Amino acid sequence: KGTVEEAARLREEREHIVEEARQKGQELIDEAENQGIIKRDEANRLHKLRMCRNGLQHPEKRQIPFDKATLEEWRDTVFSLKGEDE
């Protein structure tokens, strides 16, 4: 019985950590848009990329579909945000 309870507790703890990380990524993208660092369409693409990446790491029924063209678009968006001096 203790093992089942411990497993349930660990699962809840993991879900809490995953949710915090999801919120942090979402907040960072939103903050970058609010500060004018990125444009709305770039923020939207980054949110889709974030959700897709999360879906690959934590598979669920509800996932964003993607194909090679979508991945290439996300790649181009990410690298276009790289600073000039980096």
Side-chain angles (χ1 to χ4, degrees):
K1 184 176 178 180
T3 304
V4 171
E5 291 170 352
E6 181 67 13
R9 186 187 67 74
L10 290 173
R11 184 173 337 158
E12 286 180 22
E13 189 175 309
R14 179 185 60 94
E15 289 171 2
H16 177 73
I17 291 168
V18 167
E19 179 62 19
E20 282 183 350
R22 183 195 67 76
Q23 289 176 349
K24 182 169 181 136
Q26 183 175 356
E27 290 169 4
L28 289 171
I29 293 169
D30 289 342
E31 184 63 25
E33 180 190 359
N34 291 339
Q35 291 185 18
I37 297 169
I38 60 175
K39 298 175 185 165
R40 179 76 233 159
D41 62 324
E42 293 168 329
N44 288 337
R45 285 197 299 271
L46 290 173
H47 279 303
K48 287 180 184 176
L49 173 60
R50 179 183 54 78
M51 290 185 282
C52 177
R53 177 240 170 241
N54 290 347
L56 290 171
Q57 295 234 229
H58 314 285
E60 295 180 6
K61 290 181 181 180
R62 181 184 58 109
Q63 291 187 10
I64 294 179
F66 61 92
D67 55 17
K68 183 179 178 185
T70 304
L71 291 174
E72 289 173 344
E73 179 184 20
W74 288 335
R75 176 203 60 208
D76 295 344
T77 298
V78 168
F79 284 105
S80 74
L81 301 176
K82 182 178 175 186
E84 292 292 324
D85 57 346
E86 295 179 42

